[in-house]
Each structure stands twice: as C-alpha cells, then as structure tokens.
Amino acid sequence: MRGARAARAARVVGLAAVAVLLTSCDGSGPAALACKVDVDTPDLVSDREAAGIADCTELPTAAGASDLPDISLHCLGSTASMSLADVKGPAIINFWSTTCGPCREEMPVLQQFHEKYGDQVPLLGVNFLDTYPGAAIDFARIKGVTYPSAADPCGDLQESDLVLQVLPQFVFVRADGSFEQRAGGIDSLAEIVTMAEDNLGIELTAAGRAS
C-alpha cells in the first residue's frame, strides 16, 4: 500500500510541476515565443565535465533507430546535439526537472541502475521545460548523477506526438525501436529493474558495469 500511495503522490506532484512549467513555455503566448535558453555555453560545458556527467554522444545511437520524434535536442552542458529518434534500444529515457519533487527522489536510484546495468540498458535523462541549465547541472551533480541528459528547455517535444503530461516520466525503448511510456516516481533499484525487464522484454544480469 505504501508503494501505491507513493506512486500516486508522485504522479500528482509531477503533473502539478508540468502544469506550472507549461504556463511559461506552452507555445501559446509571448513568454513561449521569447523562450530561448542556451544549454551549451563554455561555462555550462565546464560545469558538466567537472561534475563527471557524461556527454550525450556517449549514448549508443543509430539514425532512425526508434519510433520516437525526430527532433534535435542539445545535450545538457555540451555543444553536441541528438534526436530521440536515434536512441538505440534497449534503452531508458527519463524526463525530469529541477522543480519536480519526485525527480529528486528517484535520480539517485537511476544512478544506481546506471552503475549496475548501464552496460546492458543505457540511461538518458531529458531535462524538460527547465530554463536554468546551470541549476540543472548542479542539481544532477548534487544527486551524484553521471549518466547523460539532453535538454528541452522550451518544450520542443510538445509539438510532437510524444505526450508528456507528468514528471518524472520514463520512455522504455525496445531493441526493435518501439517504446512504452510509464509514469516515474520510483523509490528502489528493484522497482526500476522490474520496469525495465517488463517494458523492454529483457532479463538483466547483475554483473555491473565494466571498469
């Protein structure tokens, strides 16, 4: 029961966070039209590197590998860019924001997954509708995150068929390019392992990442 209540609370808080963020970047008003956020300045690149956070270019990709939207996103704190359509499965994408309480709770768990299973299922964060990239990098650093994140500060993905109504949110990309969306708000490594196996149709082995 505790887990079910926590999951419901996570979805409610996450939805509230997205609702607040959408008021300034939903493509319907002057604020949205003025939305321009640089996530690739030299200072941000230095901050990401100093935090030990991987660049998006380290994620396995292939042109048109998945059914996700072909929208170019900058890597957070990097001069590189990528498209979610090029994410090669099996992989997990986690949409997060610094204003999202449940994101704060689950990111250390995702780091555990990355350290233990990242060689089998790469993990990509997407910092979504978050207009302060420096704070986002610092947030990830404090949480001990080293897996990469792309950035969609102005909500470009809202113009696609990918519907993001709650944060945090997972997209599980299968090896054949198909994907499943699931609400986040996890609180244990066992929970994300089960979700990965169920949604990706794989069995993970606890060998850990090669050093």
Side-chain angles (χ1 to χ4, degrees), residues 10-205:
R11 287 192 288 272
V12 170
V13 174
L15 183 57
V18 173
V20 170
L21 289 165
L22 287 174
T23 61
S24 62
C25 245
D26 64 355
S28 62
L33 293 174
C35 184
K36 184 182 186 304
V37 180
D38 293 325
V39 301
D40 58 350
T41 66
D43 284 346
L44 292 172
V45 173
S46 296
D47 288 347
R48 176 190 59 78
E49 292 175 345
I53 300 171
D55 195 306
C56 281
T57 56
E58 299 180 30
L59 188 81
T61 59
S66 79
D67 297 333
L68 287 164
D70 187 12
I71 294 176
S72 181
L73 301 176
H74 267 294
C75 296
L76 180 63
S78 169
T79 57
S81 60
M82 63 171 297
S83 171
L84 297 186
D86 296 339
V87 174
K88 186 177 180 181
I92 298 174
I93 303 173
N94 174 255
F95 293 85
W96 63 279
S97 168
T98 58
T99 62
C100 163
C103 300
R104 297 175 182 271
E105 301 302 320
E106 77 174 11
M107 287 180 78
V109 177
L110 297 182
Q111 177 64 22
Q112 292 177 37
F113 182 91
H114 171 66
E115 292 173 359
K116 196 164 188 176
Y117 301 105
D119 56 343
Q120 300 167 64
V121 180
L123 178 62
L124 171 71
V126 176
N127 185 227
F128 185 62
L129 287 175
D130 209 339
T131 55
Y132 295 94
I137 292 171
D138 196 48
F139 175 89
R141 178 190 61 79
I142 291 170
K143 292 298 179 181
V145 166
T146 61
Y147 56 83
S149 278
D152 185 12
C154 294
D156 291 345
L157 287 171
Q158 292 183 94
E159 303 301 320
S160 74
D161 294 332
L162 185 66
V163 179
L164 299 169
Q165 294 182 329
V166 60
L167 292 181
Q169 184 165 163
F170 290 109
V171 170
F172 295 90
V173 184
R174 302 189 187 98
D176 65 0
S178 62
F179 65 91
E180 291 286 342
Q181 288 182 245
R182 294 288 183 265
I186 61 167
D187 56 15
S188 72
L189 178 60
E191 188 175 359
I192 184 59
V193 167
T194 298
M195 290 178 71
E197 292 183 332
D198 289 349
N199 289 283
L200 295 174
I202 61 173
E203 184 174 347
L204 293 169
T205 56

